[in-house]
């Protein structure tokens, strides 16, 4: 039997236009202790999820409808608009081209997974981001969940034209 690493209490946003794929990824994540998995089917829904929680990980389909993954990544890496610009992102795609790999590298994405992928492949990528969480201190069902603040800054906190709004 495959022994999976454990990552308790890590909020995750899964963005994919296929409900089936979102459900598969959710199940893969739950197998390693992740219980706070939010999903989105479009770029707009993804931004909505990011406005309600600061995730510890984002699994983002490159070919999302409405807002592209490139646009979402540009927003995620903009320190004038986002609280946590270093959130780990794993991009998923059916067609990993050189152009796509260059685009995600420019946006500080370290992992691209080609669909379909196995749970082990996903867990290994997550383990690269969180090597210290492979052995949890306690059963994740016993630790309390906490609501984290939104990842996106409020309009009054956004710096425009080099000057921060007060």
């Amino acid at each position: 039997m495959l022994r999976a690493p454990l990552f308790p209490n890590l909020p995750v946003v899964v963005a994919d236009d296929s409900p089936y794929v979102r459900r598969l990824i959710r199940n893969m994540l739950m197998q390693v202790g992740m219980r706070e998995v939010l999903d989105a089917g479009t770029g707009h829904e993804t931004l909505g999820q990011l406005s309600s929680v600061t995730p510890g990980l984002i699994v983002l389909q490159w070919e999302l409808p409405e807002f592209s993954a490139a646009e979402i990544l540009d927003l995620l890496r903009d320190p004038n608009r986002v609280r946590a610009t270093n959130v780990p992102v794993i991009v998923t795609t059916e067609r990993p081209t050189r152009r796509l790999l260059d685009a995600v590298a420019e946006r500080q994405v370290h992992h691209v997974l080609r669909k379909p992928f196995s749970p082990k492949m996903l867990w290994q990528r997550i383990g690269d981001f969180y090597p210290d969480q492979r052995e949890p201190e306690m059963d994740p069902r016993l630790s309390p969940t906490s609501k984290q603040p939104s990842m996106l800054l409020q309009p009054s906190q956004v710096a425009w034209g080099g000057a921060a709004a007060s």
Side-chain angles (χ1 to χ4, degrees), residues 114-142:
R114 181 182 180 147
K115 293 179 184 178
F117 50 86
S118 70
K120 183 178 179 180
M121 293 168 67
L122 178 62
W123 298 336
Q124 287 172 337
R125 294 337 181 268
I126 297 169
D128 289 347
F129 294 122
Y130 296 99
D132 59 330
Q133 293 203 21
R134 290 181 186 264
E135 297 297 328
E137 294 178 16
M138 61 189 284
D139 187 322
R141 293 171 291 183
L142 301 176

Side-chain angles (χ1 to χ4, degrees), residues 7-10 33 35 136-146:
F7 305 92
N9 297 326
L10 185 67
R35 298 294 179 250
E137 294 178 16
M138 61 189 284
D139 187 322
R141 293 171 291 183
L142 301 176
S143 53
T145 58
S146 62

Side-chain angles (χ1 to χ4, degrees), residues 30-120:
M30 292 185 81
Q31 288 177 359
V32 290
M34 296 180 188
R35 298 294 179 250
E36 191 176 346
V37 180
L38 306 171
D39 61 55
T42 66
H44 189 264
E45 289 176 10
T46 303
L47 292 175
Q49 294 293 12
L50 295 175
S51 69
S52 66
V53 67
T54 299
L57 174 69
I58 301 170
V59 181
L60 182 64
Q61 176 189 5
W62 186 252
E63 303 87 2
L64 275 179
E66 293 180 9
F67 289 96
S68 72
E71 292 171 312
I72 292 170
L73 287 166
D74 288 342
L75 175 67
L76 288 175
R77 301 308 187 212
D78 183 353
N80 293 322
R81 294 185 166 223
V82 178
R83 292 182 201 280
T85 60
N86 59 346
V87 172
V89 177
I90 297 173
V91 168
T92 64
T93 183
E94 294 172 356
R95 297 173 298 280
T97 63
R98 171 51 60 194
R99 186 175 181 179
L100 178 142
L101 295 175
D102 291 341
V104 297
E106 289 174 12
R107 291 168 174 90
Q108 303 166 10
V109 173
H110 296 97
H111 292 297
V112 175
L113 278 173
R114 181 182 180 147
K115 293 179 184 178
F117 50 86
S118 70
K120 183 178 179 180

